[in-house]
Amino acid sequence: MEIIEIIKKIEQDSNCRLVKRITDFTSELALPKDLNYFFSKYDSLQMFLDKPYGIKIVSSNEFIPTSKRLYPEDDVI
């Protein structure tokens, strides 16, 4: 299933909140094609709003690469 098909299904689900992007998206990160597509069209996504196991895809300005999250610049190993 392609990302576009998945997003269309999510848009139809009342238990999800998909926030469309209103500004241009640029990134210096080498994002996977589908994630780059998502961020170019949408700002964030919340799924299963009424469940305790809800999921949120954060907006691109909240996005932190794993390497920076696990190994911050000020971390002393």
Side-chain angles (χ1 to χ4, degrees):
M1 187 177 283
E2 295 289 323
I3 186 76
I4 296 169
E5 297 170 62
I6 295 168
I7 290 174
K8 284 181 182 180
K9 286 187 179 248
I10 291 169
E11 284 179 318
Q12 296 171 357
D13 191 328
S14 62
N15 206 14
C16 299
R17 183 176 300 131
L18 189 60
V19 179
K20 291 195 179 219
R21 176 165 294 286
I22 54 174
T23 60
D24 289 337
F25 171 71
T26 57
S27 176
E28 296 174 7
L29 302 172
L31 299 175
K33 197 167 87 172
D34 55 352
L35 188 57
N36 192 58
Y37 174 84
F38 175 81
F39 280 139
S40 70
K41 306 288 184 199
Y42 303 94
D43 187 58
S44 63
L45 167 63
Q46 289 179 291
M47 297 175 66
F48 313 114
L49 295 168
D50 66 344
K51 305 292 183 199
Y53 53 81
I55 296 171
K56 180 178 182 185
I57 297 178
V58 298
S59 66
S60 60
N61 61 349
E62 297 176 87
F63 189 79
I64 301 171
T66 304
S67 59
K68 289 186 180 183
R69 173 64 113 189
L70 295 177
Y71 310 106
E73 290 179 22
D74 59 349
D75 189 23
V76 178
I77 297 177

